Amino acid sequence: MWKEILYVGAGSFIGGGLRYIVSVLIKYTGGFPWATLGVNIAGCLIIGVLWSGLSRIPSGAANMNLLLSVGF
């Protein structure tokens, strides 16, 4: 169980940092948070592609799914 928690935590660490960088690059001017919407939509698309690709790999796919889709 601890190994899975570390995978999710590592993915969260990397994903959180990247979301912050995107929000800094796309300046928030007090209107609609476009950076957040863009990151969430892109993340959903990437998760779908990764999930379908990683589900076909039998060994280690569960850990990579945790790292990339749940954490990142």
Side-chain angles (χ1 to χ4, degrees), residues 8-64:
V8 172
S12 298
F13 176 76
I14 295 167
L18 290 175
R19 281 188 289 279
Y20 176 73
I21 290 170
V22 169
S23 69
V24 168
L25 292 175
I26 301 174
K27 303 288 186 222
Y28 179 69
T29 58
F32 188 80
W34 292 106
T36 303
L37 178 66
V39 167
N40 287 337
I41 290 174
C44 289
L45 291 171
I46 292 169
I47 285 171
V49 170
L50 288 174
W51 194 270
S52 67
L54 289 174
S55 65
R56 295 184 182 125
I57 302 171
S59 62
N63 291 333
M64 289 306 291

mmCIF file of all heavy atoms in Angstrom, residues 8-64:
data_model
loop_
_atom_site.group_PDB
_atom_site.id
_atom_site.type_symbol
_atom_site.label_atom_id
_atom_site.label_comp_id
_atom_site.label_asym_id
_atom_site.label_seq_id
_atom_site.Cartn_x
_atom_site.Cartn_y
_atom_site.Cartn_z
ATOM 1 N N VAL A 8 1.294 7.880 -6.200
ATOM 2 C CA VAL A 8 0.302 8.957 -6.306
ATOM 3 C C VAL A 8 0.912 10.279 -5.831
ATOM 4 O O VAL A 8 0.730 11.324 -6.449
ATOM 5 C CB VAL A 8 -0.970 8.617 -5.504
ATOM 6 C CG1 VAL A 8 -1.920 9.799 -5.451
ATOM 7 C CG2 VAL A 8 -1.671 7.418 -6.111
ATOM 8 N N GLY A 9 1.677 10.243 -4.745
ATOM 9 C CA GLY A 9 2.304 11.456 -4.228
ATOM 10 C C GLY A 9 3.313 12.041 -5.194
ATOM 11 O O GLY A 9 3.384 13.261 -5.376
ATOM 12 N N ALA A 10 4.110 11.195 -5.828
ATOM 13 C CA ALA A 10 5.086 11.683 -6.807
ATOM 14 C C ALA A 10 4.381 12.318 -8.001
ATOM 15 O O ALA A 10 4.785 13.384 -8.479
ATOM 16 C CB ALA A 10 5.980 10.534 -7.268
ATOM 17 N N GLY A 11 3.324 11.680 -8.462
ATOM 18 C CA GLY A 11 2.567 12.257 -9.573
ATOM 19 C C GLY A 11 1.914 13.570 -9.195
ATOM 20 O O GLY A 11 1.887 14.524 -9.983
ATOM 21 N N SER A 12 1.411 13.661 -7.973
ATOM 22 C CA SER A 12 0.789 14.900 -7.501
ATOM 23 C C SER A 12 1.810 16.032 -7.402
ATOM 24 O O SER A 12 1.520 17.184 -7.723
ATOM 25 C CB SER A 12 0.146 14.689 -6.132
ATOM 26 O OG SER A 12 -0.859 13.730 -6.212
ATOM 27 N N PHE A 13 2.998 15.706 -6.946
ATOM 28 C CA PHE A 13 4.068 16.693 -6.830
ATOM 29 C C PHE A 13 4.427 17.280 -8.191
ATOM 30 O O PHE A 13 4.488 18.498 -8.360
ATOM 31 C CB PHE A 13 5.297 16.048 -6.180
ATOM 32 C CG PHE A 13 6.484 16.952 -6.099
ATOM 33 C CD1 PHE A 13 6.524 17.950 -5.144
ATOM 34 C CD2 PHE A 13 7.548 16.796 -6.957
ATOM 35 C CE1 PHE A 13 7.627 18.791 -5.048
ATOM 36 C CE2 PHE A 13 8.645 17.620 -6.876
ATOM 37 C CZ PHE A 13 8.685 18.628 -5.918
ATOM 38 N N ILE A 14 4.623 16.419 -9.162
ATOM 39 C CA ILE A 14 4.990 16.873 -10.510
ATOM 40 C C ILE A 14 3.831 17.621 -11.156
ATOM 41 O O ILE A 14 4.013 18.700 -11.735
ATOM 42 C CB ILE A 14 5.415 15.679 -11.378
ATOM 43 C CG1 ILE A 14 6.698 15.047 -10.808
ATOM 44 C CG2 ILE A 14 5.648 16.102 -12.822
ATOM 45 C CD1 ILE A 14 7.022 13.699 -11.393
ATOM 46 N N GLY A 15 2.630 17.075 -11.054
ATOM 47 C CA GLY A 15 1.460 17.711 -11.671
ATOM 48 C C GLY A 15 1.142 19.061 -11.062
ATOM 49 O O GLY A 15 0.808 20.010 -11.770
ATOM 50 N N GLY A 16 1.244 19.169 -9.748
ATOM 51 C CA GLY A 16 0.983 20.441 -9.081
ATOM 52 C C GLY A 16 1.960 21.516 -9.505
ATOM 53 O O GLY A 16 1.590 22.674 -9.731
ATOM 54 N N GLY A 17 3.218 21.143 -9.617
ATOM 55 C CA GLY A 17 4.229 22.098 -10.082
ATOM 56 C C GLY A 17 3.969 22.563 -11.505
ATOM 57 O O GLY A 17 4.076 23.756 -11.818
ATOM 58 N N LEU A 18 3.608 21.645 -12.372
ATOM 59 C CA LEU A 18 3.324 22.011 -13.755
ATOM 60 C C LEU A 18 2.066 22.875 -13.869
ATOM 61 O O LEU A 18 2.025 23.816 -14.669
ATOM 62 C CB LEU A 18 3.199 20.764 -14.622
ATOM 63 C CG LEU A 18 4.505 20.014 -14.869
ATOM 64 C CD1 LEU A 18 4.244 18.728 -15.626
ATOM 65 C CD2 LEU A 18 5.499 20.886 -15.605
ATOM 66 N N ARG A 19 1.044 22.583 -13.061
ATOM 67 C CA ARG A 19 -0.156 23.426 -13.085
ATOM 68 C C ARG A 19 0.162 24.839 -12.620
ATOM 69 O O ARG A 19 -0.352 25.810 -13.164
ATOM 70 C CB ARG A 19 -1.256 22.806 -12.219
ATOM 71 C CG ARG A 19 -1.979 21.673 -12.906
ATOM 72 C CD ARG A 19 -3.189 21.209 -12.125
ATOM 73 N NE ARG A 19 -2.839 20.490 -10.911
ATOM 74 C CZ ARG A 19 -2.499 19.205 -10.880
ATOM 75 N NH1 ARG A 19 -2.458 18.525 -12.005
ATOM 76 N NH2 ARG A 19 -2.218 18.619 -9.743
ATOM 77 N N TYR A 20 1.029 24.957 -11.626
ATOM 78 C CA TYR A 20 1.420 26.289 -11.164
ATOM 79 C C TYR A 20 2.177 27.045 -12.251
ATOM 80 O O TYR A 20 1.925 28.234 -12.474
ATOM 81 C CB TYR A 20 2.278 26.179 -9.906
ATOM 82 C CG TYR A 20 2.787 27.524 -9.449
ATOM 83 C CD1 TYR A 20 1.926 28.434 -8.851
ATOM 84 C CD2 TYR A 20 4.106 27.885 -9.644
ATOM 85 C CE1 TYR A 20 2.382 29.673 -8.455
ATOM 86 C CE2 TYR A 20 4.566 29.121 -9.253
ATOM 87 C CZ TYR A 20 3.700 30.009 -8.652
ATOM 88 O OH TYR A 20 4.145 31.242 -8.268
ATOM 89 N N ILE A 21 3.083 26.372 -12.940
ATOM 90 C CA ILE A 21 3.839 27.020 -14.016
ATOM 91 C C ILE A 21 2.905 27.514 -15.109
ATOM 92 O O ILE A 21 3.044 28.636 -15.604
ATOM 93 C CB ILE A 21 4.896 26.054 -14.581
ATOM 94 C CG1 ILE A 21 5.998 25.834 -13.546
ATOM 95 C CG2 ILE A 21 5.484 26.569 -15.890
ATOM 96 C CD1 ILE A 21 6.956 24.716 -13.891
ATOM 97 N N VAL A 22 1.920 26.697 -15.483
ATOM 98 C CA VAL A 22 0.961 27.113 -16.519
ATOM 99 C C VAL A 22 0.159 28.311 -16.042
ATOM 100 O O VAL A 22 -0.074 29.258 -16.794
ATOM 101 C CB VAL A 22 0.036 25.943 -16.918
ATOM 102 C CG1 VAL A 22 -1.119 26.413 -17.779
ATOM 103 C CG2 VAL A 22 0.828 24.871 -17.638
ATOM 104 N N SER A 23 -0.250 28.311 -14.784
ATOM 105 C CA SER A 23 -1.043 29.435 -14.290
ATOM 106 C C SER A 23 -0.220 30.713 -14.221
ATOM 107 O O SER A 23 -0.759 31.806 -14.362
ATOM 108 C CB SER A 23 -1.644 29.112 -12.925
ATOM 109 O OG SER A 23 -0.646 29.042 -11.938
ATOM 110 N N VAL A 24 1.087 30.606 -14.006
ATOM 111 C CA VAL A 24 1.953 31.795 -14.018
ATOM 112 C C VAL A 24 2.144 32.288 -15.443
ATOM 113 O O VAL A 24 2.142 33.499 -15.698
ATOM 114 C CB VAL A 24 3.308 31.479 -13.344
ATOM 115 C CG1 VAL A 24 4.322 32.571 -13.600
ATOM 116 C CG2 VAL A 24 3.118 31.272 -11.848
ATOM 117 N N LEU A 25 2.303 31.362 -16.381
ATOM 118 C CA LEU A 25 2.514 31.755 -17.776
ATOM 119 C C LEU A 25 1.268 32.391 -18.381
ATOM 120 O O LEU A 25 1.366 33.310 -19.187
ATOM 121 C CB LEU A 25 2.937 30.540 -18.605
ATOM 122 C CG LEU A 25 4.318 29.980 -18.278
ATOM 123 C CD1 LEU A 25 4.563 28.710 -19.081
ATOM 124 C CD2 LEU A 25 5.400 30.998 -18.531
ATOM 125 N N ILE A 26 0.091 31.885 -18.014
ATOM 126 C CA ILE A 26 -1.163 32.464 -18.470
ATOM 127 C C ILE A 26 -1.653 33.348 -17.330
ATOM 128 O O ILE A 26 -2.206 32.873 -16.356
ATOM 129 C CB ILE A 26 -2.203 31.379 -18.815
ATOM 130 C CG1 ILE A 26 -1.658 30.477 -19.912
ATOM 131 C CG2 ILE A 26 -3.514 32.014 -19.242
ATOM 132 C CD1 ILE A 26 -2.545 29.296 -20.216
ATOM 133 N N LYS A 27 -1.417 34.614 -17.457
ATOM 134 C CA LYS A 27 -1.689 35.556 -16.370
ATOM 135 C C LYS A 27 -3.178 35.586 -16.018
ATOM 136 O O LYS A 27 -4.032 35.670 -16.880
ATOM 137 C CB LYS A 27 -1.242 36.966 -16.760
ATOM 138 C CG LYS A 27 0.205 37.069 -17.151
ATOM 139 C CD LYS A 27 1.097 36.936 -15.951
ATOM 140 C CE LYS A 27 2.524 37.197 -16.352
ATOM 141 N NZ LYS A 27 3.476 36.345 -15.802
ATOM 142 N N TYR A 28 -3.450 35.512 -14.722
ATOM 143 C CA TYR A 28 -4.820 35.622 -14.222
ATOM 144 C C TYR A 28 -5.104 37.090 -13.973
ATOM 145 O O TYR A 28 -4.440 37.737 -13.173
ATOM 146 C CB TYR A 28 -4.982 34.807 -12.939
ATOM 147 C CG TYR A 28 -6.366 34.879 -12.354
ATOM 148 C CD1 TYR A 28 -7.432 34.279 -12.994
ATOM 149 C CD2 TYR A 28 -6.607 35.567 -11.180
ATOM 150 C CE1 TYR A 28 -8.700 34.340 -12.473
ATOM 151 C CE2 TYR A 28 -7.878 35.636 -10.646
ATOM 152 C CZ TYR A 28 -8.917 35.018 -11.299
ATOM 153 O OH TYR A 28 -10.182 35.090 -10.771
ATOM 154 N N THR A 29 -6.093 37.631 -14.662
ATOM 155 C CA THR A 29 -6.385 39.065 -14.568
ATOM 156 C C THR A 29 -7.675 39.350 -13.810
ATOM 157 O O THR A 29 -8.215 40.430 -13.897
ATOM 158 C CB THR A 29 -6.477 39.681 -15.977
ATOM 159 O OG1 THR A 29 -7.498 38.996 -16.705
ATOM 160 C CG2 THR A 29 -5.156 39.572 -16.705
ATOM 161 N N GLY A 30 -8.176 38.395 -13.077
ATOM 162 C CA GLY A 30 -9.382 38.627 -12.302
ATOM 163 C C GLY A 30 -10.656 38.157 -12.987
ATOM 164 O O GLY A 30 -11.715 38.157 -12.389
ATOM 165 N N GLY A 31 -10.556 37.746 -14.226
ATOM 166 C CA GLY A 31 -11.727 37.224 -14.931
ATOM 167 C C GLY A 31 -11.861 35.732 -14.740
ATOM 168 O O GLY A 31 -11.573 35.192 -13.680
ATOM 169 N N PHE A 32 -12.270 35.065 -15.778
ATOM 170 C CA PHE A 32 -12.436 33.616 -15.736
ATOM 171 C C PHE A 32 -11.067 32.951 -15.683
ATOM 172 O O PHE A 32 -10.153 33.340 -16.404
ATOM 173 C CB PHE A 32 -13.202 33.157 -16.982
ATOM 174 C CG PHE A 32 -13.585 31.716 -16.936
ATOM 175 C CD1 PHE A 32 -14.691 31.311 -16.213
ATOM 176 C CD2 PHE A 32 -12.844 30.768 -17.605
ATOM 177 C CE1 PHE A 32 -15.054 29.981 -16.161
ATOM 178 C CE2 PHE A 32 -13.199 29.439 -17.563
ATOM 179 C CZ PHE A 32 -14.308 29.051 -16.838
ATOM 180 N N PRO A 33 -10.884 31.924 -14.854
ATOM 181 C CA PRO A 33 -9.570 31.255 -14.747
ATOM 182 C C PRO A 33 -9.312 30.312 -15.924
ATOM 183 O O PRO A 33 -9.458 29.091 -15.831
ATOM 184 C CB PRO A 33 -9.667 30.495 -13.427
ATOM 185 C CG PRO A 33 -11.124 30.268 -13.227
ATOM 186 C CD PRO A 33 -11.820 31.453 -13.849
ATOM 187 N N TRP A 34 -8.905 30.877 -17.055
ATOM 188 C CA TRP A 34 -8.693 30.106 -18.274
ATOM 189 C C TRP A 34 -7.578 29.082 -18.134
ATOM 190 O O TRP A 34 -7.638 28.008 -18.726
ATOM 191 C CB TRP A 34 -8.412 31.042 -19.449
ATOM 192 C CG TRP A 34 -9.600 31.843 -19.831
ATOM 193 C CD1 TRP A 34 -9.810 33.170 -19.592
ATOM 194 C CD2 TRP A 34 -10.775 31.375 -20.488
ATOM 195 N NE1 TRP A 34 -11.041 33.552 -20.066
ATOM 196 C CE2 TRP A 34 -11.648 32.471 -20.624
ATOM 197 C CE3 TRP A 34 -11.174 30.131 -20.975
ATOM 198 C CZ2 TRP A 34 -12.890 32.354 -21.225
ATOM 199 C CZ3 TRP A 34 -12.410 30.028 -21.586
ATOM 200 C CH2 TRP A 34 -13.258 31.127 -21.706
ATOM 201 N N ALA A 35 -6.549 29.417 -17.369
ATOM 202 C CA ALA A 35 -5.437 28.476 -17.199
ATOM 203 C C ALA A 35 -5.920 27.194 -16.525
ATOM 204 O O ALA A 35 -5.551 26.095 -16.931
ATOM 205 C CB ALA A 35 -4.327 29.124 -16.386
ATOM 206 N N THR A 36 -6.741 27.329 -15.508
ATOM 207 C CA THR A 36 -7.261 26.160 -14.802
ATOM 208 C C THR A 36 -8.130 25.317 -15.725
ATOM 209 O O THR A 36 -8.009 24.085 -15.756
ATOM 210 C CB THR A 36 -8.079 26.596 -13.575
ATOM 211 O OG1 THR A 36 -7.253 27.398 -12.734
ATOM 212 C CG2 THR A 36 -8.597 25.402 -12.799
ATOM 213 N N LEU A 37 -8.986 25.959 -16.491
ATOM 214 C CA LEU A 37 -9.845 25.229 -17.426
ATOM 215 C C LEU A 37 -9.008 24.514 -18.482
ATOM 216 O O LEU A 37 -9.238 23.338 -18.780
ATOM 217 C CB LEU A 37 -10.834 26.179 -18.094
ATOM 218 C CG LEU A 37 -11.763 25.543 -19.125
ATOM 219 C CD1 LEU A 37 -12.723 24.565 -18.460
ATOM 220 C CD2 LEU A 37 -12.535 26.619 -19.874
ATOM 221 N N GLY A 38 -8.026 25.202 -19.020
ATOM 222 C CA GLY A 38 -7.174 24.600 -20.051
ATOM 223 C C GLY A 38 -6.387 23.405 -19.539
ATOM 224 O O GLY A 38 -6.300 22.370 -20.208
ATOM 225 N N VAL A 39 -5.825 23.543 -18.346
ATOM 226 C CA VAL A 39 -5.060 22.439 -17.763
ATOM 227 C C VAL A 39 -5.963 21.251 -17.476
ATOM 228 O O VAL A 39 -5.592 20.099 -17.719
ATOM 229 C CB VAL A 39 -4.332 22.905 -16.488
ATOM 230 C CG1 VAL A 39 -3.800 21.739 -15.698
ATOM 231 C CG2 VAL A 39 -3.214 23.856 -16.843
ATOM 232 N N ASN A 40 -7.165 21.495 -16.972
ATOM 233 C CA ASN A 40 -8.085 20.390 -16.672
ATOM 234 C C ASN A 40 -8.553 19.668 -17.934
ATOM 235 O O ASN A 40 -8.645 18.440 -17.951
ATOM 236 C CB ASN A 40 -9.277 20.894 -15.866
ATOM 237 C CG ASN A 40 -8.908 21.213 -14.443
ATOM 238 O OD1 ASN A 40 -7.937 20.711 -13.908
ATOM 239 N ND2 ASN A 40 -9.687 22.074 -13.817
ATOM 240 N N ILE A 41 -8.842 20.403 -18.976
ATOM 241 C CA ILE A 41 -9.269 19.769 -20.238
ATOM 242 C C ILE A 41 -8.123 18.977 -20.841
ATOM 243 O O ILE A 41 -8.300 17.826 -21.265
ATOM 244 C CB ILE A 41 -9.806 20.828 -21.224
ATOM 245 C CG1 ILE A 41 -11.144 21.368 -20.717
ATOM 246 C CG2 ILE A 41 -9.947 20.238 -22.621
ATOM 247 C CD1 ILE A 41 -11.688 22.519 -21.521
ATOM 248 N N ALA A 42 -6.928 19.572 -20.881
ATOM 249 C CA ALA A 42 -5.768 18.856 -21.419
ATOM 250 C C ALA A 42 -5.469 17.617 -20.573
ATOM 251 O O ALA A 42 -5.146 16.554 -21.120
ATOM 252 C CB ALA A 42 -4.552 19.778 -21.458
ATOM 253 N N GLY A 43 -5.598 17.736 -19.265
ATOM 254 C CA GLY A 43 -5.354 16.598 -18.384
ATOM 255 C C GLY A 43 -6.315 15.465 -18.634
ATOM 256 O O GLY A 43 -5.921 14.289 -18.625
ATOM 257 N N CYS A 44 -7.578 15.787 -18.848
ATOM 258 C CA CYS A 44 -8.570 14.742 -19.144
ATOM 259 C C CYS A 44 -8.238 14.004 -20.430
ATOM 260 O O CYS A 44 -8.334 12.776 -20.493
ATOM 261 C CB CYS A 44 -9.962 15.356 -19.241
ATOM 262 S SG CYS A 44 -10.627 15.900 -17.667
ATOM 263 N N LEU A 45 -7.827 14.738 -21.441
ATOM 264 C CA LEU A 45 -7.465 14.100 -22.714
ATOM 265 C C LEU A 45 -6.233 13.218 -22.555
ATOM 266 O O LEU A 45 -6.187 12.092 -23.049
ATOM 267 C CB LEU A 45 -7.213 15.166 -23.778
ATOM 268 C CG LEU A 45 -8.441 15.939 -24.241
ATOM 269 C CD1 LEU A 45 -8.035 17.108 -25.128
ATOM 270 C CD2 LEU A 45 -9.405 15.023 -24.966
ATOM 271 N N ILE A 46 -5.237 13.731 -21.849
ATOM 272 C CA ILE A 46 -4.001 12.962 -21.656
ATOM 273 C C ILE A 46 -4.267 11.711 -20.829
ATOM 274 O O ILE A 46 -3.748 10.632 -21.128
ATOM 275 C CB ILE A 46 -2.920 13.850 -21.023
ATOM 276 C CG1 ILE A 46 -2.483 14.927 -22.018
ATOM 277 C CG2 ILE A 46 -1.725 13.028 -20.561
ATOM 278 C CD1 ILE A 46 -1.617 16.007 -21.423
ATOM 279 N N ILE A 47 -5.093 11.841 -19.777
ATOM 280 C CA ILE A 47 -5.422 10.673 -18.954
ATOM 281 C C ILE A 47 -6.118 9.605 -19.795
ATOM 282 O O ILE A 47 -5.834 8.419 -19.662
ATOM 283 C CB ILE A 47 -6.292 11.080 -17.752
ATOM 284 C CG1 ILE A 47 -5.441 11.786 -16.701
ATOM 285 C CG2 ILE A 47 -6.969 9.864 -17.124
ATOM 286 C CD1 ILE A 47 -6.246 12.405 -15.582
ATOM 287 N N GLY A 48 -7.018 10.000 -20.667
ATOM 288 C CA GLY A 48 -7.699 9.031 -21.527
ATOM 289 C C GLY A 48 -6.744 8.287 -22.433
ATOM 290 O O GLY A 48 -6.823 7.064 -22.579
ATOM 291 N N VAL A 49 -5.805 9.013 -23.021
ATOM 292 C CA VAL A 49 -4.821 8.381 -23.904
ATOM 293 C C VAL A 49 -3.906 7.461 -23.104
ATOM 294 O O VAL A 49 -3.643 6.314 -23.500
ATOM 295 C CB VAL A 49 -4.004 9.457 -24.652
ATOM 296 C CG1 VAL A 49 -2.822 8.849 -25.379
ATOM 297 C CG2 VAL A 49 -4.896 10.209 -25.622
ATOM 298 N N LEU A 50 -3.410 7.945 -21.968
ATOM 299 C CA LEU A 50 -2.507 7.134 -21.155
ATOM 300 C C LEU A 50 -3.213 5.895 -20.608
ATOM 301 O O LEU A 50 -2.633 4.801 -20.582
ATOM 302 C CB LEU A 50 -1.952 7.956 -19.997
ATOM 303 C CG LEU A 50 -0.934 9.018 -20.363
ATOM 304 C CD1 LEU A 50 -0.571 9.846 -19.139
ATOM 305 C CD2 LEU A 50 0.301 8.390 -20.970
ATOM 306 N N TRP A 51 -4.432 6.061 -20.155
ATOM 307 C CA TRP A 51 -5.162 4.933 -19.574
ATOM 308 C C TRP A 51 -5.375 3.830 -20.611
ATOM 309 O O TRP A 51 -5.193 2.658 -20.314
ATOM 310 C CB TRP A 51 -6.500 5.405 -19.011
ATOM 311 C CG TRP A 51 -7.131 4.386 -18.130
ATOM 312 C CD1 TRP A 51 -7.988 3.397 -18.491
ATOM 313 C CD2 TRP A 51 -6.918 4.235 -16.727
ATOM 314 N NE1 TRP A 51 -8.342 2.649 -17.401
ATOM 315 C CE2 TRP A 51 -7.699 3.147 -16.301
ATOM 316 C CE3 TRP A 51 -6.165 4.920 -15.794
ATOM 317 C CZ2 TRP A 51 -7.727 2.728 -14.990
ATOM 318 C CZ3 TRP A 51 -6.204 4.499 -14.486
ATOM 319 C CH2 TRP A 51 -6.972 3.422 -14.094
ATOM 320 N N SER A 52 -5.740 4.220 -21.821
ATOM 321 C CA SER A 52 -5.970 3.195 -22.844
ATOM 322 C C SER A 52 -4.655 2.539 -23.264
ATOM 323 O O SER A 52 -4.619 1.344 -23.525
ATOM 324 C CB SER A 52 -6.675 3.793 -24.052
ATOM 325 O OG SER A 52 -5.829 4.711 -24.714
ATOM 326 N N GLY A 53 -3.577 3.308 -23.314
ATOM 327 C CA GLY A 53 -2.295 2.727 -23.697
ATOM 328 C C GLY A 53 -1.683 1.873 -22.610
ATOM 329 O O GLY A 53 -1.164 0.791 -22.871
ATOM 330 N N LEU A 54 -1.737 2.334 -21.375
ATOM 331 C CA LEU A 54 -1.114 1.593 -20.279
ATOM 332 C C LEU A 54 -1.913 0.365 -19.867
ATOM 333 O O LEU A 54 -1.365 -0.550 -19.271
ATOM 334 C CB LEU A 54 -0.914 2.504 -19.065
ATOM 335 C CG LEU A 54 0.154 3.572 -19.214
ATOM 336 C CD1 LEU A 54 0.155 4.495 -18.007
ATOM 337 C CD2 LEU A 54 1.522 2.951 -19.409
ATOM 338 N N SER A 55 -3.193 0.349 -20.169
ATOM 339 C CA SER A 55 -3.997 -0.818 -19.793
ATOM 340 C C SER A 55 -3.641 -2.038 -20.635
ATOM 341 O O SER A 55 -3.965 -3.156 -20.259
ATOM 342 C CB SER A 55 -5.484 -0.500 -19.929
ATOM 343 O OG SER A 55 -5.817 -0.271 -21.284
ATOM 344 N N ARG A 56 -2.970 -1.831 -21.748
ATOM 345 C CA ARG A 56 -2.577 -2.954 -22.602
ATOM 346 C C ARG A 56 -1.249 -3.564 -22.177
ATOM 347 O O ARG A 56 -0.875 -4.622 -22.661
ATOM 348 C CB ARG A 56 -2.485 -2.479 -24.044
ATOM 349 C CG ARG A 56 -3.824 -2.046 -24.582
ATOM 350 C CD ARG A 56 -3.750 -1.667 -26.043
ATOM 351 N NE ARG A 56 -5.057 -1.229 -26.476
ATOM 352 C CZ ARG A 56 -5.298 -0.069 -27.048
ATOM 353 N NH1 ARG A 56 -4.319 0.773 -27.270
ATOM 354 N NH2 ARG A 56 -6.511 0.261 -27.406
ATOM 355 N N ILE A 57 -0.516 -2.886 -21.308
ATOM 356 C CA ILE A 57 0.772 -3.384 -20.838
ATOM 357 C C ILE A 57 0.536 -4.133 -19.527
ATOM 358 O O ILE A 57 0.134 -3.535 -18.535
ATOM 359 C CB ILE A 57 1.761 -2.222 -20.616
ATOM 360 C CG1 ILE A 57 1.947 -1.429 -21.899
ATOM 361 C CG2 ILE A 57 3.089 -2.755 -20.099
ATOM 362 C CD1 ILE A 57 2.727 -0.154 -21.714
ATOM 363 N N PRO A 58 0.795 -5.434 -19.496
ATOM 364 C CA PRO A 58 0.438 -6.206 -18.299
ATOM 365 C C PRO A 58 1.317 -5.935 -17.079
ATOM 366 O O PRO A 58 0.830 -5.871 -15.972
ATOM 367 C CB PRO A 58 0.584 -7.657 -18.753
ATOM 368 C CG PRO A 58 1.456 -7.616 -19.944
ATOM 369 C CD PRO A 58 1.296 -6.260 -20.563
ATOM 370 N N SER A 59 2.603 -5.774 -17.234
ATOM 371 C CA SER A 59 3.474 -5.672 -16.059
ATOM 372 C C SER A 59 3.752 -4.209 -15.718
ATOM 373 O O SER A 59 4.188 -3.430 -16.548
ATOM 374 C CB SER A 59 4.791 -6.385 -16.313
ATOM 375 O OG SER A 59 5.473 -5.769 -17.381
ATOM 376 N N GLY A 60 3.481 -3.842 -14.476
ATOM 377 C CA GLY A 60 3.762 -2.493 -14.009
ATOM 378 C C GLY A 60 2.754 -1.449 -14.425
ATOM 379 O O GLY A 60 2.915 -0.283 -14.110
ATOM 380 N N ALA A 61 1.729 -1.844 -15.132
ATOM 381 C CA ALA A 61 0.764 -0.868 -15.613
ATOM 382 C C ALA A 61 -0.038 -0.254 -14.476
ATOM 383 O O ALA A 61 -0.395 0.919 -14.544
ATOM 384 C CB ALA A 61 -0.167 -1.503 -16.635
ATOM 385 N N ALA A 62 -0.302 -1.012 -13.452
ATOM 386 C CA ALA A 62 -1.095 -0.479 -12.335
ATOM 387 C C ALA A 62 -0.365 0.663 -11.645
ATOM 388 O O ALA A 62 -0.968 1.696 -11.336
ATOM 389 C CB ALA A 62 -1.400 -1.587 -11.339
ATOM 390 N N ASN A 63 0.934 0.509 -11.434
ATOM 391 C CA ASN A 63 1.697 1.577 -10.792
ATOM 392 C C ASN A 63 1.814 2.808 -11.683
ATOM 393 O O ASN A 63 1.740 3.934 -11.208
ATOM 394 C CB ASN A 63 3.082 1.078 -10.398
ATOM 395 C CG ASN A 63 3.032 0.070 -9.279
ATOM 396 O OD1 ASN A 63 2.121 0.077 -8.464
ATOM 397 N ND2 ASN A 63 3.997 -0.826 -9.255
ATOM 398 N N MET A 64 1.995 2.592 -12.968
ATOM 399 C CA MET A 64 2.089 3.737 -13.881
ATOM 400 C C MET A 64 0.738 4.439 -13.999
ATOM 401 O O MET A 64 0.682 5.655 -14.123
ATOM 402 C CB MET A 64 2.577 3.287 -15.264
ATOM 403 C CG MET A 64 4.029 2.875 -15.274
ATOM 404 S SD MET A 64 5.136 4.148 -14.609
ATOM 405 C CE MET A 64 5.029 5.374 -15.874
#
